Amino acid sequence: MDGKPATRKGPDFCSLRYGLALIMHFSNFTMITQRVSLSIAIIAMVNTTQQHGLSNASTEGPVADALNNSSISIKEFDTKASVYQWSPETQGIIFSSINYGIILTLIPSGYLAGIFGAKKMLGAGLLISSLLTLFTPLAADFGVILVIVVRTVQGMAQGMAWTGQFTIWAKWAPPLERSKLTTIAGSGSAFGSFIILCVGGLISQALGWPFIFYIFGSTGCVCCLLWFTVIYDDPMHHPCISVREKEHIVSSLARQPSSPRRAVPIKAMVTCLPLWAIFLGFFSHFWLCTIILTYLPTYISTLLHVNIRDSGVLSSLPFIAAASCTILGGQLADFLLSRNLLRLITVRKLFSSFGLLLPSICAVALPFVASSYVITIILLILIPGTSNLCDSGFIINTLDIAPRYASFLMGISRGFGLIAGIISSTATGFLISQDFESGWRNVFFLSAAVNMFGLVFYVTFGQAELQDWAKERTLTRL
């Protein structure tokens, strides 16, 4: 690989591009906390329903104990904020509405980010999501319809913000640093999930459930201020970048030029097997990840018979493992590339294999170790942790094969993942409603089968070479 010395020198962790990765980490942290906030707050928002459940079950339960320990009675808790008579079916519609919003904007926002600039798209998406988070408690007072509308628009805003990131990395990330930079940024989602699960219940208990939205909505506004102040679409126009870093980035990306305006070669994309390998990789990856994110507290509390407080803490542990594996995986992937130990496609397929195979093994093993508390927790921690190794595999593979269209293609890829999440959540609910223990066994076996299908397809058809349809077309003017 000629030209390598030019891409191996340059500022590292004190550079502007790593500052960009940290701000994007903060952005992803903010968006996931805003997305999961309702999942935590809704326990208090429909608290009257839970009180009836407690009175039917026993005089003192885990929820009552937790409230008593903090010197807050249920009656006092109710005076802090409104409660609503939302049925489980209504709650399900509210939860799913944000996913439909994300799907609506993934593809168009990815395309528009490549034309108008990712800084504006991502910043606007994050700002809208933050303002709607602040507005959610008021929307709940106006009725469930407005909550659903707010969550759908919030999903559209987050879809804009998520896809815009990859347009920025196509211009800021040198090829040998893509795994490190994108995984530092992406780990914000896992870290945010860990934080919101840990502190969301405590905030609701101490201050009232609206403050979950106020705190994390305000955090998003602060992040927007940082974003619009510090971030630029490309290193060429950043006023604070050093000459050395600018030359390093520009020279390393010299072989992958992009033009600001271009037609999207849809027909070539549809017939491109390496691209379909990425799409199916996303589908498989999100299938199991969504099940873990959605049903993990229920699985832990029901099968391991722990109280609500301990279930929340245990549910947060897999996400700190996921954040750690994401960053470490990116560091290892770029180390292997920078030392010429493995080819780029080998690294992508290796990390994709680990990220799909290891979680499948853990998932299949879970039903057989249900009697062991410790082993079950270890496997549940390993599933999201090992699954995030995919972040150095097919997750960023579009930056290799089509950097000019990275944002647009990431939108489609994310859409495949969201569709998988909707299907897997629905299928899981159906299977465990038939019979809880055998239902979970079937859920894990099915997830492993989906993962194996995605893995085999990606290993067979995945590539890392720049595709012909993604290359710059030079026009000769007479």
Side-chain angles (χ1 to χ4, degrees):
M1 296 169 62
D2 37 308
K4 193 70 66 101
T7 61
R8 293 180 66 173
K9 297 285 185 181
D12 272 338
F13 292 104
C14 293
S15 63
L16 202 58
R17 62 189 182 278
Y18 279 92
L20 169 62
L22 290 176
I23 293 177
M24 209 171 285
H25 174 99
F26 187 29
S27 302
N28 288 323
F29 169 92
T30 300
M31 286 190 289
I32 197 67
T33 54
Q34 293 173 357
R35 183 176 179 182
V36 180
S37 289
L38 186 64
S39 300
I40 305 298
I42 205 166
I43 298 173
M45 293 171 76
V46 294
N47 192 47
T48 50
T49 305
Q50 296 206 6
Q51 289 179 47
H52 296 311
L54 284 171
S55 62
N56 292 335
S58 62
T59 57
E60 294 291 333
V63 176
D65 289 340
L67 293 174
N68 289 334
N69 289 339
S70 59
S71 304
I72 301 176
S73 66
I74 291 178
K75 200 172 282 187
E76 292 173 29
F77 184 81
D78 284 345
T79 62
K80 287 182 175 292
S82 304
V83 290
Y84 311 96
Q85 299 290 343
W86 293 344
S87 67
E89 291 78 10
T90 300
Q91 295 175 40
I93 294 172
I94 294 172
F95 286 139
S96 63
S97 59
I98 196 168
N99 288 328
Y100 291 109
I102 294 174
I103 290 176
L104 287 174
T105 55
L106 279 175
I107 295 177
S109 64
Y111 178 69
L112 293 175
I115 297 177
F116 298 112
K119 174 183 176 176
K120 294 178 181 177
M121 294 291 294
L122 198 154
L126 182 57
L127 179 60
I128 293 170
S129 178
S130 300
L131 294 176
L132 290 175
T133 300
L134 293 170
F135 180 68
T136 299
L138 181 61
D141 286 335
F142 278 96
V144 67
I145 299 298
L146 186 56
V147 175
I148 293 172
V149 171
V150 166
R151 292 285 287 181
T152 302
V153 177
Q154 187 176 28
M156 296 170 67
Q158 292 202 0
M160 289 167 51
W162 195 84
T163 51
Q165 297 182 29
F166 294 90
T167 296
I168 290 179
W169 287 130
K171 298 177 181 179
W172 274 92
L176 296 181
E177 298 177 31
R178 280 176 180 165
S179 297
K180 277 188 283 192
L181 291 168
T182 56
T183 51
I184 289 172
S187 63
S189 296
F191 185 59
S193 300
F194 169 77
I195 293 297
I196 189 66
L197 287 169
C198 275
V199 306
L202 297 176
I203 294 172
S204 177
Q205 201 175 89
L207 302 174
W209 62 261
F211 280 86
I212 300 177
F213 299 99
Y214 297 151
I215 290 172
F216 291 104
S218 301
T219 302
C221 292
V222 173
C223 185
C224 286
L225 183 62
L226 276 175
W227 182 265
F228 285 114
T229 304
V230 177
I231 303 304
Y232 283 73
D233 283 317
D234 59 70
M236 295 299 296
H237 297 93
H238 202 293
C240 300
I241 191 171
S242 67
V243 175
R244 182 187 180 196
E245 183 178 6
K246 183 189 296 185
E247 291 176 351
H248 168 63
I249 295 173
V250 171
S251 63
S252 64
L253 296 175
R255 299 182 188 178
Q256 299 177 1
S258 59
S259 56
R261 297 182 178 273
R262 65 269 190 182
V264 178
I266 298 295
K267 183 177 180 181
M269 291 178 177
V270 170
T271 58
C272 180
L273 284 176
L275 196 54
W276 279 102
I278 296 173
F279 294 159
L280 293 180
F282 267 83
F283 186 91
S284 304
H285 174 69
F286 273 77
W287 182 286
L288 181 55
C289 287
T290 304
I291 292 174
I292 295 298
L293 181 63
T294 307
Y295 287 96
L296 185 57
T298 301
Y299 185 84
I300 289 178
S301 62
T302 306
L303 264 73
L304 302 183
H305 308 291
V306 299
N307 60 42
I308 295 175
R309 180 187 58 195
D310 292 342
S311 176
V313 174
L314 291 172
S315 298
S316 68
L317 293 178
F319 297 101
I320 198 65
S324 302
C325 287
T326 299
I327 295 174
L328 293 175
Q331 298 290 324
L332 179 57
D334 282 342
F335 172 80
L336 294 173
L337 291 173
S338 63
R339 295 294 188 274
N340 289 323
L341 298 176
L342 294 174
R343 294 188 304 136
L344 179 59
I345 185 57
T346 306
V347 170
R348 297 288 181 251
K349 290 185 177 181
L350 179 66
F351 279 84
S352 298
S353 299
F354 285 147
L356 291 175
L357 179 61
L358 295 180
S360 301
I361 294 173
C362 294
V364 168
L366 271 173
F368 302 102
V369 298
S371 58
S372 174
Y373 180 94
V374 175
I375 296 178
T376 298
I377 293 299
I378 291 174
L379 291 178
L380 288 173
I381 291 174
L382 287 175
I383 289 176
T386 55
S387 182
N388 273 28
L389 294 174
C390 290
D391 284 14
S392 297
F394 56 78
I395 297 292
I396 60 170
N397 199 187
T398 53
L399 287 173
D400 304 319
I401 68 171
R404 296 177 65 213
Y405 306 104
S407 188
F408 174 74
L409 294 175
M410 284 304 302
I412 299 177
S413 301
R414 182 78 169 182
F416 272 85
L418 289 170
I419 291 171
I422 293 171
I423 297 174
S424 66
S425 297
T426 305
T428 299
F430 174 77
L431 290 172
I432 63 177
S433 67
Q434 307 301 308
D435 180 81
F436 198 81
E437 291 191 8
S438 65
W440 273 114
R441 183 173 61 247
N442 293 334
V443 166
F444 291 134
F445 286 174
L446 178 60
S447 300
V450 172
N451 271 13
M452 289 303 96
F453 173 75
L455 173 59
V456 170
F457 198 94
Y458 182 77
V459 170
T460 304
F461 297 108
Q463 293 182 14
E465 293 79 19
L466 183 65
Q467 300 297 296
D468 289 338
W469 48 266
K471 293 178 179 177
E472 181 79 11
R473 297 289 184 255
T474 303
L475 299 178
T476 303
R477 301 182 182 274
L478 297 177

